[in-house]
Each structure stands twice: as C-alpha cells, then as structure tokens.
Amino acid sequence: MLEGPLGKKILLFTLPLAGSSILQQLFNSTDVAVVGRFSSSQALAAVGSNAPLINMLVLLFTGLSVGANVLIARYIGQNDRKKVSEAVHTVITLSLICGFLLLILGQVIATPLLRLMNTPDDVIDLAATYLRIYFMGMPFVMLYNFGSAILRSVGDTSRPLYCLVISGIVNVLLNLFFVIVFDMSVAGVGIATVIADGISAGLVMMFLIRNEDESIRVNPKKLSFKKEHLIMILKIGAPAGIQGMVFSISNVFIQTAINGFGSQAVAGSSAELNFEYITYYIVCAFSQTAVTFTSQNYGALQFDRCKKVFRLCMLFSCIFTGCVSVIFMLGSGFFITFFTTDPTVIKYAIIRMAIVMLLELMTGSYEISGGALRGIGHSLLPAILTIFGSVVFRIIWLFTVFKAFHTYDMLLMVYPVSWLITGTSVLIAYFIIRKREFKKVSAAFEI
C-alpha cells in the first residue's frame, strides 16, 4: 500500500472485500428467496422486513471494526509490531463482548420493536421468530467482522472471501433442506444462517490463530484489553458505529411507513433490497479501501498517495456501482422472480429499483470521503454530517413531504434527495480538513 502504482492494488484489495460483503448479504437474500418461493409472501415479508432493524443494531458494533482497521493499519505504517499485536488481541476480545451483548439484546427487544414498527399482523409472529434466531448468531457475526478487519489491515481481503464462499454454500443447502424437506419456513432459514455464520467465524479465527505474521497472530491466552488501544478504537470506531446505527434508525422509520402499505408492499421492498444492498456494498468496499490505504499512507506521511487513493476509490466506485445498478434495472423483471412470482409484489419491487437502486452510486460521495477522513483520524465530523443529512432530513421528509403526498413513490424519493445533501456536505468537509491536516503534519515533521 505504501509504494508503486495504486490503481491495480486498490482493485485487488476492494473486489474481494466487495465480494465478501455481498456474500454476507446473500445469507439474508437466500433466506428471502427460499421462503418467498417455497413458503409464502408473508414469510418473505417477515424475513425481509427485519433487515433495517437488524442493520440498526449490528452496525453500531461493526462500526467499531472500522476503528480497529484504522488503528492496526496505522501501526503497520509506523512499523510498530508490538502495538499491532496488542491491538489485535484487544479487537478480538471486544468482538466477543459485542457479540454476546447483541445476542441477549435481540431476544429481549424482538417483538416490542416489531410492533413499534407497525409490522402487519399477518407477518409479526414469523418476523419475531426469525429475528430471535438470527441474533443467536451475533457472536459469530461480530467475530467474523472484527477478524476480517484485522486481515484487511494487512491487505488480506481474499481469505475472508473464501470463508464466506464456503459458509454461503452451506447456508443455501441448509435453507433448502430445512424449508423444503422439513417445512420449517422462517425458523429453518434462521437456523441455517446461524450455522453458516459460525462456519465463517471459525474459518477466520483459524487463519488468525495460524497466521505466519506474528504481529497479527491471535493467541487465545493473550486475549485482553489494552486501554490505549481500546480508547483509540472507540474514538475512531464509535462515531462510525453510531453513524451506522442512527443511519439505520431512519431506515426503520421508512420501513414503518412501507409497512403501512400492506404485506405485499413490504414483500416487494424486501425483495428489491437484496439488489440494493449489493450495489451499496460495492460503495462500502471502496470506502473501507479508502480507510485502510489512507491510514497506512498517512502513518507513513505520504500525503500525495492519500489524495490519489481518494480519487481512485471515488472513480472506481461510481463505475462499478453504476454498471451493476444498470444491469439489475434492465433485468429487473427476471431478477425479482428469484424471490417471488406475485405480480403485485414484483410491481412494488421494480418501483423501488427505479427510484433508489439505480441512483445508489450517489452514496459514494459521502461514504468514500467519510472513509478518507477516518483514515486520517477524523471520524466524528463525517458521522455528524451523515446523521443530519441521512437521518434528520429523512425523518423531516416523512412528516412533511410524505405526509402531504402519501404515495409509495414519494416515500422512496427521500433516498436520492438525502444522498445529494449528505454527499455535498461531507465532500466539502473532506477537502477542507485534508488541506488543513496535511499542512499541519507537514510543518510538524518539516516535510
């Protein structure tokens, strides 16, 4: 990351990372597809309607993995192997604690939250069952995400992908087995997902425990917190986690509004979300690449490379996300039938594709600039700006514009409008802070 041409290295780093995120999302997509085709539209709505709620809780903790990525990458850039090892063991310990906290929390709040979200009566019992089972696997999800962050910090995005390929295949086979053979509906796909999460987490930990690089090798006997590393992880990662959680709160509000259009609208939106998430995860992969590459080069005081990393990540993100979005849109009628054959459900799904997914590349304006800011140690400001643009504004939209024009289309328009506002503000902040930060550090080191 610190020398040579950047373009090829960024792509080699990002594409496996995007593939990993997409495969992780395909766990839920497979759940939705199997119950949608082999169970019922209500089961499809039950599984799919949980996505915003699951993301809201999970993103709070997985955002901390951004802090772990930045910290370890910075120590690597500084060639401080002792601190790298200490940080790695702090990260794994933190992941286990976060995972078990989410496991307990999920059992307690499942039904009350679903009722608060105005989940349709013909869906709520199935949705609560799936949610409780899903959260049983949270220790595995956290261990995989934090372990992958450690591997990413040293440039390894391939092995996390291999882990998900294996666990993804297991997930698909178990989904079909539990639903078709045993007719277990949402419970079956939930159990299959937990088992698959356990496999991916176990494989990542095997790679870390047996790693040839002693600085990132995990020794279970050394698991503990180092105060200085924990503080830095929280300083960088907590704003990202809170941003992700609060960001998802607005999506929960929007999901609540969608629930008001009935179970077929919920099912259509849930089916489309599987494609929307794929395009979004491409953006997120380039954002995480910007974090890691910027962190290492910033630690090595190579500011021109930091600027080039930002430009390339933004360009590649727009190209790849735009192309995938267009492919899904052109084949929308075909792709949606993987999840349902109900014509009304398909209609709702295609409407969302045209308004939201087709413009998903706009999210790169704030995700990548925010990632670059975190790479140089500024995590709070992009979080605040994103919360205002993508949360506060969306809630205002729901109670003003959507209330006045109460249609499914107008509800979904909140996404592209909020992306425009958020992207503009975070981009301006990035260029101002980058100029000031590089100038200050250059003066301090007399570069």
Side-chain angles (χ1 to χ4, degrees):
M1 298 184 193
L2 299 176
E3 57 186 27
L6 280 165
K8 183 179 178 181
K9 293 179 180 180
I10 285 174
L11 289 177
L12 288 174
F13 183 92
T14 305
L15 295 181
L17 183 58
S20 297
S21 299
I22 290 169
L23 277 175
Q24 209 167 8
Q25 169 57 32
L26 287 178
F27 283 1
N28 186 258
S29 298
T30 304
D31 295 350
V32 173
V34 170
V35 295
R37 291 302 300 265
F38 299 104
S39 187
S40 66
S41 293
Q42 285 77 21
L44 185 157
V47 174
S49 64
N50 271 306
L53 183 56
I54 289 170
N55 286 338
M56 180 184 72
L57 297 172
V58 172
L59 286 175
L60 171 62
F61 292 92
T62 54
L64 295 177
S65 70
V66 174
N69 191 345
V70 170
L71 183 65
I72 296 171
R74 186 174 298 173
Y75 288 151
I76 290 170
Q78 296 168 354
N79 199 29
D80 193 332
R81 300 178 69 83
K82 182 175 181 292
K83 286 188 175 180
V84 170
S85 180
E86 291 174 351
V88 163
H89 287 89
T90 298
V91 166
I92 295 297
T93 306
L94 181 62
S95 73
L96 290 171
I97 292 174
C98 291
F100 282 104
L101 284 175
L102 275 174
L103 186 156
I104 296 168
L105 188 63
Q107 309 311 307
V108 175
I109 67 174
T111 300
L113 274 181
L114 289 168
R115 292 195 183 282
L116 191 63
M117 291 173 62
N118 195 31
T119 304
D121 292 337
D122 59 342
V123 169
I124 191 166
D125 289 340
L126 291 172
T129 297
Y130 178 79
L131 190 59
R132 289 197 181 97
I133 295 173
Y134 187 93
F135 273 93
M136 292 296 291
M138 280 300 103
F140 300 137
V141 173
M142 293 297 104
L143 202 57
Y144 171 81
N145 283 321
F146 279 79
S148 297
I150 293 170
L151 292 172
R152 286 198 305 271
S153 66
V154 294
D156 184 357
T157 56
S158 297
R159 284 190 289 184
L161 176 60
Y162 301 152
C163 297
L164 284 178
V165 169
I166 295 170
S167 59
I169 293 171
V170 171
N171 187 56
V172 171
L173 295 175
L174 289 179
N175 275 336
L176 296 169
F177 182 70
F178 289 144
V179 174
I180 297 175
V181 178
F182 287 103
D183 194 26
M184 294 175 67
S185 188
V186 298
V189 295
I191 293 170
T193 298
V194 171
I195 294 172
D197 287 337
I199 291 172
S200 60
L203 290 171
V204 163
M205 285 306 300
M206 181 186 72
F207 288 137
L208 289 172
I209 291 171
R210 298 180 179 180
N211 205 286
E212 295 179 358
D213 186 345
E214 291 185 8
S215 62
I216 66 163
R217 186 185 302 159
V218 172
N219 183 344
K221 295 180 180 180
K222 293 183 179 180
L223 293 180
S224 63
F225 284 129
K226 288 288 184 179
K227 184 178 178 181
E228 63 173 304
H229 306 314
L230 180 61
I231 290 173
M232 285 299 297
I233 291 170
L234 293 176
K235 181 180 177 181
I236 299 170
I242 292 170
Q243 171 190 320
M245 187 190 73
V246 177
F247 183 84
S248 291
I249 288 175
S250 69
N251 290 332
V252 170
F253 273 95
I254 294 170
Q255 182 64 50
T256 302
I258 292 173
N259 291 346
F261 289 99
S263 60
Q264 287 181 310
V266 176
S269 177
S270 300
E272 187 277 344
L273 271 171
N274 294 281
F275 304 101
E276 192 174 311
Y277 283 140
I278 288 173
T279 57
Y280 178 64
Y281 284 140
I282 295 172
V283 176
C284 285
F286 282 104
S287 174
Q288 291 179 50
T289 298
V291 170
T292 305
F293 274 70
T294 302
S295 298
Q296 283 209 17
N297 283 283
Y298 182 70
L301 306 179
Q302 299 194 75
F303 302 140
D304 286 340
R305 287 179 71 83
C306 291
K307 295 176 182 178
K308 190 172 183 180
V309 165
F310 169 78
R311 293 195 300 271
L312 289 173
C313 286
M314 189 69 76
L315 175 64
F316 290 151
S317 173
C318 289
I319 292 172
F320 281 91
T321 308
C323 289
V324 172
S325 298
V326 169
I327 290 170
F328 283 149
M329 190 68 238
L330 292 175
S332 57
F334 167 74
F335 287 120
I336 295 298
T337 58
F338 282 110
F339 299 91
T340 181
T341 55
D342 185 319
T344 304
V345 173
I346 292 173
K347 181 192 74 173
Y348 279 112
I350 291 176
I351 290 172
R352 178 159 186 150
M353 270 190 165
I355 295 175
V356 184
M357 186 207 66
L358 201 55
L359 299 174
E360 193 73 47
L361 60 85
M362 294 174 64
T363 60
S365 58
Y366 64 85
E367 289 289 354
I368 293 170
S369 52
L373 278 171
R374 292 187 181 96
I376 59 177
H378 288 264
S379 189
L380 184 58
L381 182 58
I384 292 172
L385 293 174
T386 303
I387 288 170
F388 176 80
S390 294
V391 179
V392 176
F393 173 79
R394 289 180 183 178
I395 294 173
I396 293 172
W397 179 282
L398 289 175
F399 289 99
T400 55
V401 178
F402 174 63
K403 188 174 181 181
F405 304 94
H406 195 79
T407 66
Y408 184 72
D409 300 53
M410 188 56 68
L411 172 61
L412 297 178
M413 279 299 298
V414 71
Y415 285 106
V417 176
S418 65
W419 293 338
L420 179 63
I421 293 170
T422 308
T424 301
S425 62
V426 179
L427 277 169
I428 291 171
Y430 167 73
F431 286 114
I432 292 174
I433 291 174
R434 184 183 78 177
K435 181 178 180 181
R436 184 187 68 196
E437 193 71 21
F438 289 178
K439 184 178 180 181
K440 181 177 71 175
V441 176
S442 295
F445 287 90
E446 296 182 354
I447 297 175

